[in-house]
Amino acid sequence: MIPETVILYLFVAASLLAVVANRLRIPYTVALVLGGLILGTLHLFPTPVLTHDLLFSIFLPGLVFESAYHLSASALWRDRLAIFGLAVPGVLTSIVVTAFVFLWTSRYLPDLAAVTMPLGVALVFGATVAATDPISVVAIFRELQAPQRLTFLVESESLLNDGTAIVFFTLFLAIAMGKPVTASALAVKFLAVVGGGVLIGAIVGWLSSEVIKRVNDGMVEITFTILAAYGSFLVAMQLGYSGVISTVVAGLICGNYGAKRGMAPSVRLAVNTFWEYIGFALNSLVFLLVGLTIRLPDLLRIWPLVIAAYVAITIARGAVIYSMGALLSRSHARMPWSWNFVLIWGGIRGALSMVLVLSLPQHFPFREMLINLVFGVVLLTILIQGLSISPVARALGVLSRRHLPADFEMQRMRLTLAQMGVREIDRLRQEGVLDPQALNALATHYSQESEDAKDRLSKLDIADEDRFRTEFSRLYRRLLTMQKQRLLDARQESLIGHENFERLTADIDAGLLEVETNIDGVIERLLLPDQVAMEKKLP
């Protein structure tokens, strides 16, 4: 366990590095890793080690639950083909391709030319680096207003492939240790571990949500989300199932069912704030520990192998992403081809890969070399891809080079909130219960707020094309979401049959995906008939 004083030093370092990263405009996680490397070199205080027990007992449940809690279950289901394809067959393919590419490239390196690495060991290496850590990438995308669907794909894919990568790591480790395992037994074991995790997570998440619905105490409700996060993880692990998958399911249920059905708005805000801070604190500590655990001299001694391993995982992820993109190209879940390379470059590896390789048995063949290889791969992905993901995405046109002024979103929300206040006051005035003088005073206040926001919006220097594109995208997305909700209500009221419900839901989901991936095409398709009609009327 980390001593209390060291935790204090780490939080001080994380706070200072956050300021430095903001000033230098570099990703926060990259700054944390670099800061950890410097602190580890200077030996200013006892250096803690990122251990398996530390990550699995403290960091991983909280980080996984925080991400899952804020994920939309409907969006996850809407993009299920891409997400589950990348998280299950995609992870397995990545492991196999990584292993074979590394074995092929290592034959030409002097360090491995005289020895032959068994395929089982190479598969274990592939499993350790299969899980991606999108924290810095997601933070960059949110800051630069990347397409919501792309940000969601990066986050949700990583959340699920953490669990599947751990399961495959365990299975391939058994093979490498000489245990007889057939392909059918491997498939059955995988389904059992994942299925058990899903079941445990569903039970714990549902029970926690039911308790939350029946209490009206913010502190108690926060406590039960903590119990859901760590309880689902520990119970699943004790029973031999996937703790990560269990926590993902528990987080999805608590966030999409417990919070929406059982929490008052003020409590929901408090719970969201609590878990956002937990995510920030745990991420800060874990990336600092990543930097503190890496030993640069050990990596420099085998740098050709590290480069070969990095090339192998990049080729493997590229093969998976482009194959999945090709398979989805004819479905409603298709993605723009420019997104594929961004998804490849966003496949940053993190603490989970390091902890998995550290958990290898002491007598495991090539253990020390694998540890250095994984540490080197993690460092290269964080530094190379973490620092370049923003310019790469801009160059591919994924991140718009033109941004609306930051004040635009603020004033639009001020206008929306003020108009909502005016409408609520009008409703209360019709009821005739409250004091008319108080209502008039508040109506005047909100009307003035609305006018101020309109005035500031009118003074912003925004091109008409940019304003129209933004407004059209938000309005169309809002209308499609309202249609989907009405469709769900109609299904619950038995006003529509199952087949027609599924068909209309698929149409709306396809529209939502198109808004996220090809808004210019939507605008052109919807406006073209009107333009043709106008041209026909002209003399």
Side-chain angles (χ1 to χ4, degrees), residues 103-136:
L103 286 177
W104 179 76
T105 55
S106 63
R107 292 186 303 172
Y108 301 95
L109 298 175
D111 299 76
L112 285 179
V115 296
T116 302
M117 179 182 289
L119 177 60
V121 175
L123 288 172
V124 169
F125 166 71
T128 59
V129 294
T132 57
D133 192 330
I135 297 166
S136 57

PDB file of all heavy atoms in Angstrom, residues 103-136:
ATOM      1  N   LEU A 103       6.671 -11.783 -33.611  1.00  0.00           N
ATOM      2  CA  LEU A 103       7.538 -12.939 -33.838  1.00  0.00           C
ATOM      3  C   LEU A 103       8.302 -12.798 -35.156  1.00  0.00           C
ATOM      4  O   LEU A 103       9.493 -13.147 -35.248  1.00  0.00           O
ATOM      5  CB  LEU A 103       6.708 -14.222 -33.851  1.00  0.00           C
ATOM      6  CG  LEU A 103       6.195 -14.726 -32.493  1.00  0.00           C
ATOM      7  CD1 LEU A 103       5.326 -15.955 -32.688  1.00  0.00           C
ATOM      8  CD2 LEU A 103       7.358 -15.038 -31.564  1.00  0.00           C
ATOM      9  N   TRP A 104       7.643 -12.292 -36.186  1.00  0.00           N
ATOM     10  CA  TRP A 104       8.288 -12.149 -37.502  1.00  0.00           C
ATOM     11  C   TRP A 104       9.376 -11.077 -37.463  1.00  0.00           C
ATOM     12  O   TRP A 104      10.491 -11.288 -37.953  1.00  0.00           O
ATOM     13  CB  TRP A 104       7.239 -11.801 -38.545  1.00  0.00           C
ATOM     14  CG  TRP A 104       7.834 -11.626 -39.924  1.00  0.00           C
ATOM     15  CD1 TRP A 104       8.259 -12.605 -40.773  1.00  0.00           C
ATOM     16  CD2 TRP A 104       8.089 -10.380 -40.578  1.00  0.00           C
ATOM     17  NE1 TRP A 104       8.753 -12.053 -41.933  1.00  0.00           N
ATOM     18  CE2 TRP A 104       8.658 -10.686 -41.847  1.00  0.00           C
ATOM     19  CE3 TRP A 104       7.877  -9.049 -40.238  1.00  0.00           C
ATOM     20  CZ2 TRP A 104       9.032  -9.702 -42.735  1.00  0.00           C
ATOM     21  CZ3 TRP A 104       8.244  -8.056 -41.132  1.00  0.00           C
ATOM     22  CH2 TRP A 104       8.817  -8.385 -42.369  1.00  0.00           C
ATOM     23  N   THR A 105       9.066  -9.911 -36.854  1.00  0.00           N
ATOM     24  CA  THR A 105      10.056  -8.822 -36.819  1.00  0.00           C
ATOM     25  C   THR A 105      11.219  -9.154 -35.888  1.00  0.00           C
ATOM     26  O   THR A 105      12.358  -8.745 -36.142  1.00  0.00           O
ATOM     27  CB  THR A 105       9.401  -7.514 -36.350  1.00  0.00           C
ATOM     28  OG1 THR A 105       8.757  -7.722 -35.081  1.00  0.00           O
ATOM     29  CG2 THR A 105       8.379  -7.022 -37.351  1.00  0.00           C
ATOM     30  N   SER A 106      10.945  -9.897 -34.806  1.00  0.00           N
ATOM     31  CA  SER A 106      12.002 -10.172 -33.830  1.00  0.00           C
ATOM     32  C   SER A 106      13.085 -11.089 -34.399  1.00  0.00           C
ATOM     33  O   SER A 106      14.205 -11.132 -33.880  1.00  0.00           O
ATOM     34  CB  SER A 106      11.401 -10.794 -32.565  1.00  0.00           C
ATOM     35  OG  SER A 106      10.799 -12.049 -32.862  1.00  0.00           O
ATOM     36  N   ARG A 107      12.786 -11.822 -35.475  1.00  0.00           N
ATOM     37  CA  ARG A 107      13.791 -12.710 -36.068  1.00  0.00           C
ATOM     38  C   ARG A 107      14.968 -11.921 -36.636  1.00  0.00           C
ATOM     39  O   ARG A 107      16.062 -12.467 -36.813  1.00  0.00           O
ATOM     40  CB  ARG A 107      13.166 -13.548 -37.177  1.00  0.00           C
ATOM     41  CG  ARG A 107      12.153 -14.575 -36.685  1.00  0.00           C
ATOM     42  CD  ARG A 107      11.690 -15.455 -37.833  1.00  0.00           C
ATOM     43  NE  ARG A 107      11.117 -14.667 -38.919  1.00  0.00           N
ATOM     44  CZ  ARG A 107      10.779 -15.158 -40.110  1.00  0.00           C
ATOM     45  NH1 ARG A 107      10.984 -16.451 -40.356  1.00  0.00           N
ATOM     46  NH2 ARG A 107      10.244 -14.390 -41.031  1.00  0.00           N
ATOM     47  N   TYR A 108      14.735 -10.640 -36.947  1.00  0.00           N
ATOM     48  CA  TYR A 108      15.784  -9.829 -37.577  1.00  0.00           C
ATOM     49  C   TYR A 108      16.495  -8.929 -36.561  1.00  0.00           C
ATOM     50  O   TYR A 108      17.289  -8.073 -36.946  1.00  0.00           O
ATOM     51  CB  TYR A 108      15.171  -8.970 -38.677  1.00  0.00           C
ATOM     52  CG  TYR A 108      14.494  -9.791 -39.752  1.00  0.00           C
ATOM     53  CD1 TYR A 108      13.121 -10.033 -39.703  1.00  0.00           C
ATOM     54  CD2 TYR A 108      15.233 -10.364 -40.787  1.00  0.00           C
ATOM     55  CE1 TYR A 108      12.500 -10.804 -40.676  1.00  0.00           C
ATOM     56  CE2 TYR A 108      14.621 -11.141 -41.764  1.00  0.00           C
ATOM     57  CZ  TYR A 108      13.247 -11.350 -41.700  1.00  0.00           C
ATOM     58  OH  TYR A 108      12.632 -12.118 -42.654  1.00  0.00           O
ATOM     59  N   LEU A 109      16.201  -9.125 -35.273  1.00  0.00           N
ATOM     60  CA  LEU A 109      16.834  -8.318 -34.234  1.00  0.00           C
ATOM     61  C   LEU A 109      17.900  -9.136 -33.527  1.00  0.00           C
ATOM     62  O   LEU A 109      17.693 -10.314 -33.214  1.00  0.00           O
ATOM     63  CB  LEU A 109      15.788  -7.842 -33.223  1.00  0.00           C
ATOM     64  CG  LEU A 109      14.684  -6.946 -33.805  1.00  0.00           C
ATOM     65  CD1 LEU A 109      13.637  -6.639 -32.744  1.00  0.00           C
ATOM     66  CD2 LEU A 109      15.261  -5.659 -34.365  1.00  0.00           C
ATOM     67  N   PRO A 110      19.054  -8.529 -33.245  1.00  0.00           N
ATOM     68  CA  PRO A 110      20.155  -9.295 -32.646  1.00  0.00           C
ATOM     69  C   PRO A 110      19.810  -9.869 -31.271  1.00  0.00           C
ATOM     70  O   PRO A 110      20.299 -10.929 -30.905  1.00  0.00           O
ATOM     71  CB  PRO A 110      21.296  -8.271 -32.546  1.00  0.00           C
ATOM     72  CG  PRO A 110      20.615  -6.934 -32.624  1.00  0.00           C
ATOM     73  CD  PRO A 110      19.417  -7.127 -33.492  1.00  0.00           C
ATOM     74  N   ASP A 111      18.964  -9.202 -30.509  1.00  0.00           N
ATOM     75  CA  ASP A 111      18.650  -9.667 -29.157  1.00  0.00           C
ATOM     76  C   ASP A 111      17.880 -10.975 -29.164  1.00  0.00           C
ATOM     77  O   ASP A 111      17.936 -11.745 -28.200  1.00  0.00           O
ATOM     78  CB  ASP A 111      17.826  -8.604 -28.412  1.00  0.00           C
ATOM     79  CG  ASP A 111      18.580  -7.298 -28.280  1.00  0.00           C
ATOM     80  OD1 ASP A 111      18.662  -6.572 -29.288  1.00  0.00           O
ATOM     81  OD2 ASP A 111      19.094  -7.020 -27.179  1.00  0.00           O
ATOM     82  N   LEU A 112      17.127 -11.241 -30.247  1.00  0.00           N
ATOM     83  CA  LEU A 112      16.312 -12.448 -30.291  1.00  0.00           C
ATOM     84  C   LEU A 112      16.701 -13.387 -31.428  1.00  0.00           C
ATOM     85  O   LEU A 112      16.037 -14.381 -31.662  1.00  0.00           O
ATOM     86  CB  LEU A 112      14.828 -12.075 -30.442  1.00  0.00           C
ATOM     87  CG  LEU A 112      14.136 -11.524 -29.200  1.00  0.00           C
ATOM     88  CD1 LEU A 112      12.690 -11.192 -29.516  1.00  0.00           C
ATOM     89  CD2 LEU A 112      14.188 -12.516 -28.048  1.00  0.00           C
ATOM     90  N   ALA A 113      17.754 -13.033 -32.141  1.00  0.00           N
ATOM     91  CA  ALA A 113      18.112 -13.845 -33.306  1.00  0.00           C
ATOM     92  C   ALA A 113      18.535 -15.258 -32.901  1.00  0.00           C
ATOM     93  O   ALA A 113      18.303 -16.224 -33.629  1.00  0.00           O
ATOM     94  CB  ALA A 113      19.250 -13.172 -34.078  1.00  0.00           C
ATOM     95  N   ALA A 114      19.163 -15.376 -31.726  1.00  0.00           N
ATOM     96  CA  ALA A 114      19.690 -16.677 -31.317  1.00  0.00           C
ATOM     97  C   ALA A 114      18.688 -17.508 -30.534  1.00  0.00           C
ATOM     98  O   ALA A 114      18.952 -18.670 -30.241  1.00  0.00           O
ATOM     99  CB  ALA A 114      20.947 -16.477 -30.461  1.00  0.00           C
ATOM    100  N   VAL A 115      17.546 -16.923 -30.180  1.00  0.00           N
ATOM    101  CA  VAL A 115      16.540 -17.648 -29.407  1.00  0.00           C
ATOM    102  C   VAL A 115      15.205 -17.591 -30.147  1.00  0.00           C
ATOM    103  O   VAL A 115      14.991 -16.744 -31.006  1.00  0.00           O
ATOM    104  CB  VAL A 115      16.383 -17.057 -27.986  1.00  0.00           C
ATOM    105  CG1 VAL A 115      17.662 -17.230 -27.194  1.00  0.00           C
ATOM    106  CG2 VAL A 115      15.985 -15.595 -28.058  1.00  0.00           C
ATOM    107  N   THR A 116      14.353 -18.508 -29.782  1.00  0.00           N
ATOM    108  CA  THR A 116      13.033 -18.558 -30.405  1.00  0.00           C
ATOM    109  C   THR A 116      11.975 -18.373 -29.322  1.00  0.00           C
ATOM    110  O   THR A 116      11.898 -19.176 -28.387  1.00  0.00           O
ATOM    111  CB  THR A 116      12.802 -19.898 -31.111  1.00  0.00           C
ATOM    112  OG1 THR A 116      13.821 -20.082 -32.097  1.00  0.00           O
ATOM    113  CG2 THR A 116      11.426 -19.925 -31.763  1.00  0.00           C
ATOM    114  N   MET A 117      11.185 -17.332 -29.463  1.00  0.00           N
ATOM    115  CA  MET A 117      10.119 -17.088 -28.492  1.00  0.00           C
ATOM    116  C   MET A 117       8.919 -17.962 -28.842  1.00  0.00           C
ATOM    117  O   MET A 117       8.454 -17.943 -29.982  1.00  0.00           O
ATOM    118  CB  MET A 117       9.704 -15.612 -28.504  1.00  0.00           C
ATOM    119  CG  MET A 117       8.572 -15.291 -27.532  1.00  0.00           C
ATOM    120  SD  MET A 117       8.042 -13.552 -27.597  1.00  0.00           S
ATOM    121  CE  MET A 117       9.459 -12.755 -26.841  1.00  0.00           C
ATOM    122  N   PRO A 118       8.419 -18.739 -27.893  1.00  0.00           N
ATOM    123  CA  PRO A 118       7.244 -19.584 -28.171  1.00  0.00           C
ATOM    124  C   PRO A 118       6.025 -18.737 -28.538  1.00  0.00           C
ATOM    125  O   PRO A 118       5.889 -17.595 -28.094  1.00  0.00           O
ATOM    126  CB  PRO A 118       7.028 -20.331 -26.851  1.00  0.00           C
ATOM    127  CG  PRO A 118       8.321 -20.223 -26.118  1.00  0.00           C
ATOM    128  CD  PRO A 118       8.925 -18.922 -26.535  1.00  0.00           C
ATOM    129  N   LEU A 119       5.150 -19.328 -29.334  1.00  0.00           N
ATOM    130  CA  LEU A 119       3.934 -18.626 -29.738  1.00  0.00           C
ATOM    131  C   LEU A 119       3.078 -18.262 -28.529  1.00  0.00           C
ATOM    132  O   LEU A 119       2.482 -17.176 -28.487  1.00  0.00           O
ATOM    133  CB  LEU A 119       3.126 -19.496 -30.706  1.00  0.00           C
ATOM    134  CG  LEU A 119       1.777 -18.924 -31.168  1.00  0.00           C
ATOM    135  CD1 LEU A 119       1.969 -17.591 -31.882  1.00  0.00           C
ATOM    136  CD2 LEU A 119       1.053 -19.920 -32.061  1.00  0.00           C
ATOM    137  N   GLY A 120       3.006 -19.151 -27.534  1.00  0.00           N
ATOM    138  CA  GLY A 120       2.213 -18.862 -26.342  1.00  0.00           C
ATOM    139  C   GLY A 120       2.682 -17.616 -25.621  1.00  0.00           C
ATOM    140  O   GLY A 120       1.873 -16.806 -25.157  1.00  0.00           O
ATOM    141  N   VAL A 121       3.988 -17.420 -25.520  1.00  0.00           N
ATOM    142  CA  VAL A 121       4.539 -16.220 -24.873  1.00  0.00           C
ATOM    143  C   VAL A 121       4.196 -14.986 -25.691  1.00  0.00           C
ATOM    144  O   VAL A 121       3.850 -13.935 -25.148  1.00  0.00           O
ATOM    145  CB  VAL A 121       6.065 -16.365 -24.701  1.00  0.00           C
ATOM    146  CG1 VAL A 121       6.662 -15.072 -24.151  1.00  0.00           C
ATOM    147  CG2 VAL A 121       6.382 -17.533 -23.787  1.00  0.00           C
ATOM    148  N   ALA A 122       4.292 -15.102 -27.024  1.00  0.00           N
ATOM    149  CA  ALA A 122       3.951 -13.965 -27.883  1.00  0.00           C
ATOM    150  C   ALA A 122       2.466 -13.604 -27.755  1.00  0.00           C
ATOM    151  O   ALA A 122       2.101 -12.415 -27.783  1.00  0.00           O
ATOM    152  CB  ALA A 122       4.288 -14.287 -29.337  1.00  0.00           C
ATOM    153  N   LEU A 123       1.602 -14.611 -27.612  1.00  0.00           N
ATOM    154  CA  LEU A 123       0.167 -14.342 -27.427  1.00  0.00           C
ATOM    155  C   LEU A 123      -0.092 -13.654 -26.092  1.00  0.00           C
ATOM    156  O   LEU A 123      -0.962 -12.772 -25.991  1.00  0.00           O
ATOM    157  CB  LEU A 123      -0.621 -15.649 -27.509  1.00  0.00           C
ATOM    158  CG  LEU A 123      -0.741 -16.276 -28.904  1.00  0.00           C
ATOM    159  CD1 LEU A 123      -1.365 -17.663 -28.816  1.00  0.00           C
ATOM    160  CD2 LEU A 123      -1.565 -15.381 -29.829  1.00  0.00           C
ATOM    161  N   VAL A 124       0.656 -14.027 -25.053  1.00  0.00           N
ATOM    162  CA  VAL A 124       0.529 -13.349 -23.760  1.00  0.00           C
ATOM    163  C   VAL A 124       0.934 -11.884 -23.899  1.00  0.00           C
ATOM    164  O   VAL A 124       0.277 -10.983 -23.365  1.00  0.00           O
ATOM    165  CB  VAL A 124       1.385 -14.055 -22.687  1.00  0.00           C
ATOM    166  CG1 VAL A 124       1.467 -13.215 -21.411  1.00  0.00           C
ATOM    167  CG2 VAL A 124       0.804 -15.427 -22.376  1.00  0.00           C
ATOM    168  N   PHE A 125       2.018 -11.635 -24.639  1.00  0.00           N
ATOM    169  CA  PHE A 125       2.431 -10.248 -24.880  1.00  0.00           C
ATOM    170  C   PHE A 125       1.341  -9.489 -25.629  1.00  0.00           C
ATOM    171  O   PHE A 125       1.004  -8.357 -25.282  1.00  0.00           O
ATOM    172  CB  PHE A 125       3.731 -10.216 -25.684  1.00  0.00           C
ATOM    173  CG  PHE A 125       4.051  -8.860 -26.247  1.00  0.00           C
ATOM    174  CD1 PHE A 125       4.449  -7.828 -25.424  1.00  0.00           C
ATOM    175  CD2 PHE A 125       3.916  -8.613 -27.613  1.00  0.00           C
ATOM    176  CE1 PHE A 125       4.719  -6.567 -25.948  1.00  0.00           C
ATOM    177  CE2 PHE A 125       4.189  -7.366 -28.140  1.00  0.00           C
ATOM    178  CZ  PHE A 125       4.591  -6.334 -27.297  1.00  0.00           C
ATOM    179  N   GLY A 126       0.757 -10.125 -26.649  1.00  0.00           N
ATOM    180  CA  GLY A 126      -0.319  -9.469 -27.389  1.00  0.00           C
ATOM    181  C   GLY A 126      -1.504  -9.145 -26.511  1.00  0.00           C
ATOM    182  O   GLY A 126      -2.132  -8.084 -26.653  1.00  0.00           O
ATOM    183  N   ALA A 127      -1.816 -10.033 -25.557  1.00  0.00           N
ATOM    184  CA  ALA A 127      -2.955  -9.793 -24.657  1.00  0.00           C
ATOM    185  C   ALA A 127      -2.670  -8.661 -23.686  1.00  0.00           C
ATOM    186  O   ALA A 127      -3.582  -7.890 -23.329  1.00  0.00           O
ATOM    187  CB  ALA A 127      -3.299 -11.067 -23.889  1.00  0.00           C
ATOM    188  N   THR A 128      -1.421  -8.524 -23.249  1.00  0.00           N
ATOM    189  CA  THR A 128      -1.104  -7.458 -22.287  1.00  0.00           C
ATOM    190  C   THR A 128      -1.248  -6.069 -22.910  1.00  0.00           C
ATOM    191  O   THR A 128      -1.577  -5.103 -22.211  1.00  0.00           O
ATOM    192  CB  THR A 128       0.330  -7.615 -21.752  1.00  0.00           C
ATOM    193  OG1 THR A 128       1.255  -7.578 -22.839  1.00  0.00           O
ATOM    194  CG2 THR A 128       0.484  -8.901 -20.988  1.00  0.00           C
ATOM    195  N   VAL A 129      -1.009  -5.959 -24.205  1.00  0.00           N
ATOM    196  CA  VAL A 129      -1.074  -4.645 -24.847  1.00  0.00           C
ATOM    197  C   VAL A 129      -2.339  -4.474 -25.684  1.00  0.00           C
ATOM    198  O   VAL A 129      -2.449  -3.526 -26.467  1.00  0.00           O
ATOM    199  CB  VAL A 129       0.169  -4.398 -25.740  1.00  0.00           C
ATOM    200  CG1 VAL A 129       1.427  -4.295 -24.894  1.00  0.00           C
ATOM    201  CG2 VAL A 129       0.314  -5.496 -26.781  1.00  0.00           C
ATOM    202  N   ALA A 130      -3.309  -5.366 -25.515  1.00  0.00           N
ATOM    203  CA  ALA A 130      -4.530  -5.277 -26.316  1.00  0.00           C
ATOM    204  C   ALA A 130      -5.484  -4.209 -25.800  1.00  0.00           C
ATOM    205  O   ALA A 130      -6.219  -3.592 -26.570  1.00  0.00           O
ATOM    206  CB  ALA A 130      -5.243  -6.637 -26.332  1.00  0.00           C
ATOM    207  N   ALA A 131      -5.494  -3.992 -24.483  1.00  0.00           N
ATOM    208  CA  ALA A 131      -6.433  -3.022 -23.897  1.00  0.00           C
ATOM    209  C   ALA A 131      -5.933  -1.602 -24.131  1.00  0.00           C
ATOM    210  O   ALA A 131      -4.769  -1.283 -23.882  1.00  0.00           O
ATOM    211  CB  ALA A 131      -6.593  -3.281 -22.402  1.00  0.00           C
ATOM    212  N   THR A 132      -6.803  -0.742 -24.614  1.00  0.00           N
ATOM    213  CA  THR A 132      -6.450   0.655 -24.860  1.00  0.00           C
ATOM    214  C   THR A 132      -6.918   1.524 -23.707  1.00  0.00           C
ATOM    215  O   THR A 132      -7.857   1.191 -22.988  1.00  0.00           O
ATOM    216  CB  THR A 132      -7.084   1.167 -26.162  1.00  0.00           C
ATOM    217  OG1 THR A 132      -8.507   1.004 -26.088  1.00  0.00           O
ATOM    218  CG2 THR A 132      -6.556   0.399 -27.350  1.00  0.00           C
ATOM    219  N   ASP A 133      -6.238   2.659 -23.534  1.00  0.00           N
ATOM    220  CA  ASP A 133      -6.582   3.601 -22.475  1.00  0.00           C
ATOM    221  C   ASP A 133      -6.819   4.962 -23.121  1.00  0.00           C
ATOM    222  O   ASP A 133      -5.870   5.651 -23.482  1.00  0.00           O
ATOM    223  CB  ASP A 133      -5.441   3.689 -21.456  1.00  0.00           C
ATOM    224  CG  ASP A 133      -5.856   4.415 -20.197  1.00  0.00           C
ATOM    225  OD1 ASP A 133      -6.722   5.298 -20.294  1.00  0.00           O
ATOM    226  OD2 ASP A 133      -5.333   4.098 -19.115  1.00  0.00           O
ATOM    227  N   PRO A 134      -8.079   5.376 -23.274  1.00  0.00           N
ATOM    228  CA  PRO A 134      -8.380   6.540 -24.102  1.00  0.00           C
ATOM    229  C   PRO A 134      -8.447   7.858 -23.338  1.00  0.00           C
ATOM    230  O   PRO A 134      -8.929   8.845 -23.869  1.00  0.00           O
ATOM    231  CB  PRO A 134      -9.775   6.198 -24.610  1.00  0.00           C
ATOM    232  CG  PRO A 134     -10.421   5.560 -23.418  1.00  0.00           C
ATOM    233  CD  PRO A 134      -9.316   4.796 -22.720  1.00  0.00           C
ATOM    234  N   ILE A 135      -7.994   7.892 -22.083  1.00  0.00           N
ATOM    235  CA  ILE A 135      -8.287   9.034 -21.217  1.00  0.00           C
ATOM    236  C   ILE A 135      -7.827  10.349 -21.839  1.00  0.00           C
ATOM    237  O   ILE A 135      -8.587  11.309 -21.947  1.00  0.00           O
ATOM    238  CB  ILE A 135      -7.637   8.834 -19.840  1.00  0.00           C
ATOM    239  CG1 ILE A 135      -8.242   7.605 -19.147  1.00  0.00           C
ATOM    240  CG2 ILE A 135      -7.823  10.053 -18.958  1.00  0.00           C
ATOM    241  CD1 ILE A 135      -7.465   7.131 -17.957  1.00  0.00           C
ATOM    242  N   SER A 136      -6.557  10.407 -22.256  1.00  0.00           N
ATOM    243  CA  SER A 136      -6.049  11.655 -22.816  1.00  0.00           C
ATOM    244  C   SER A 136      -6.720  11.982 -24.146  1.00  0.00           C
ATOM    245  O   SER A 136      -7.007  13.142 -24.443  1.00  0.00           O
ATOM    246  CB  SER A 136      -4.533  11.566 -23.007  1.00  0.00           C
ATOM    247  OG  SER A 136      -4.205  10.472 -23.825  1.00  0.00           O
TER     248      SER A 136
END
